[in-house]
């Protein structure tokens, strides 16, 4: 047996106890960043999701698509605008967001998974009343939403029959008006509502770093008090704050573990779930750490 074959066999052997442990468990994945942009990374994610389903896990995908929304806004001569990290979403922008995320990005992900032999089903938050939105803040930035309520009834039979739900983070309010909701937030709320074993956020960073300029300062494991302290002291800052807060909220509602991982690494999902060391930051409740 050659060295490469030996390494592959050892990795498969290392994965076995994790496959046994997580078989039948729900795993919620927020898909975004470079892993959606580069073809080789997209292909790796589609294969990873298919493999997770094939070995008995129950993966569910929530996706964003900001760069593609920006591309189509520019093509339609609509200037993308942001305030405090949130997209200012007037009615024209919301039309583009809905068309791109629901009609284009979502179906590309579904087709990619199905092309690998998986069984993906494309949805948005409005389907079956899956997510009910409410307007964020005072409405000054338009049709930006937050999660008011989650109803997982539509997802339960799909997951149990081995389908992979792929959900775009567009949802209607009680009046039927579509809103654009942060995909991290939707992923966290769905993970909590479904009693997920894991919530995984694919990002463009190695994870939570003690020094944002030093990738070697990766923090591999945190409990909730430690995570809150890192936010309070400014170690976690900028765009990592809402991601970390999303993980904290999910854990506080009973999710088994939350992971912030580097989607720029091919097969990041498999490395984090099925290897001893993992590749990102794993957050656990204090009782588990």
């Amino acid at each position: 047996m050659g060295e490469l074959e030996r390494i592959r066999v050892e990795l498969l052997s290392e994965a076995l106890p994790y496959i046994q442990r997580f078989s039948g468990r729900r795993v919620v994945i927020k898909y975004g960043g470079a892993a959606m942009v580069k073809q080789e990374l997209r292909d790796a994610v589609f294969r990873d999701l298919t493999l997770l389903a094939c070995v008995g896990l129950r993966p569910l995908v929530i996706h964003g698509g900001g760069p593609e929304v920006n591309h189509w806004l520019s093509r339609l001569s609509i200037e993308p605008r942001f305030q405090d990290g949130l997209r200012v979403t007037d009615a024209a922008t919301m039309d583009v967001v809905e068309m791109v995320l629901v009609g284009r990005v979502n179906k590309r992900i579904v087709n990619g998974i199905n092309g690998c032999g998986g069984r993906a089903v494309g949805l948005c938050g409005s389907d079956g009343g899956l997510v009910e939105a409410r307007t964020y803040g005072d409405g000054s930035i338009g049709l930006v939403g937050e999660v008011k309520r989650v109803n997982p009834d539509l997802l339960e039979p799909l997951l149990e029959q081995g389908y992979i739900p792929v959900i775009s983070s567009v949802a209607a309010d009680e009046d039927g008006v579509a809103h654009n909701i942060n995909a991290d937030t939707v992923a966290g709320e769905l993970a909590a509502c479904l009693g997920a074993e894991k919530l995984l956020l694919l990002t463009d960073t190695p994870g939570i770093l003690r020094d944002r300029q030093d990738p070697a300062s990766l923090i591999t494991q945190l409990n909730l008090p430690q995570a809150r302290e890192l936010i309070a002291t400014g170690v976690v800052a900028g765009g990592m704050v809402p991601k970390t807060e999303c993980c904290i909220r999910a854990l506080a509602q009973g999710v088994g573990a939350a992971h912030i991982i580097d989607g720029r690494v091919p097969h990041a999902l498999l490395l984090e779930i099925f290897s001893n060391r993992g590749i990102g930051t794993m957050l656990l409740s204090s009782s588990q750490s």
Side-chain angles (χ1 to χ4, degrees), residues 2-9:
E3 181 64 16
L4 182 58
E5 288 76 10
R6 183 187 64 79
I7 292 172
R8 286 174 174 166
V9 169

Side-chain angles (χ1 to χ4, degrees), residues 41-267:
L41 294 176
R42 288 204 300 262
D43 291 344
V45 170
F46 299 154
R47 290 196 297 272
D48 287 0
L49 291 167
T50 302
L51 190 149
L52 291 175
C54 285
V55 299
L57 280 73
R58 301 286 185 260
L60 179 147
V61 181
I62 317 296
H63 68 84
E68 187 146 355
V69 170
N70 290 342
H71 169 75
W72 285 96
L73 286 173
S74 297
R75 288 191 61 173
L76 295 169
S77 300
I78 302 173
E79 181 183 358
R81 294 185 295 133
F82 294 87
Q83 182 176 312
D84 299 327
L86 297 173
R87 184 185 298 278
V88 178
T89 309
D90 58 15
T93 299
M94 188 64 229
D95 285 343
V96 176
V97 168
E98 193 165 17
M99 286 187 291
V100 171
L101 295 188
V102 179
R104 185 175 176 86
V105 175
N106 185 273
K107 299 314 173 190
R108 185 172 64 202
I109 298 169
V110 167
N111 291 338
I113 295 170
N114 290 343
C116 293
R119 296 195 297 164
V121 177
L123 302 166
C124 75
S126 298
D127 290 316
L130 176 59
V131 176
E132 183 180 337
R134 62 184 169 212
T135 302
Y136 175 83
D138 61 4
S140 61
I141 57 174
L143 297 171
V144 176
E146 55 187 10
V147 176
K148 179 179 179 180
R149 187 179 296 110
V150 176
N151 175 13
D153 290 350
L154 175 64
L155 299 178
E156 297 284 357
L158 293 174
L159 290 168
E160 292 309 309
Q161 293 178 47
Y163 288 96
I164 303 173
V166 178
I167 303 166
S168 61
S169 56
V170 172
D173 65 12
E174 61 183 3
D175 297 318
V177 178
H179 283 64
N180 180 26
I181 308 179
N182 178 275
D184 291 333
T185 301
V186 175
E189 294 301 316
L190 280 173
C193 191
L194 288 166
E197 178 71 23
K198 290 182 177 294
L199 167 66
L200 297 105
L201 308 182
L202 286 168
T203 69
D204 289 344
T205 68
I208 296 177
L209 306 175
R210 289 201 178 276
D211 179 353
R212 279 172 281 168
Q213 307 304 318
D214 181 11
S217 67
L218 175 69
I219 303 171
T220 58
Q221 185 168 313
L222 289 169
N223 60 35
L224 289 184
Q226 290 168 335
R228 293 187 178 107
E229 182 181 0
L230 290 178
I231 293 174
T233 57
V235 174
V236 172
M240 290 300 289
V241 173
K243 293 184 184 300
T244 306
E245 289 178 338
C246 164
C247 293
I248 290 172
R249 180 170 170 80
L251 289 170
Q253 296 180 84
V255 173
H259 307 251
I260 299 175
I261 62 176
D262 195 342
R264 299 169 300 180
V265 177
H267 303 293

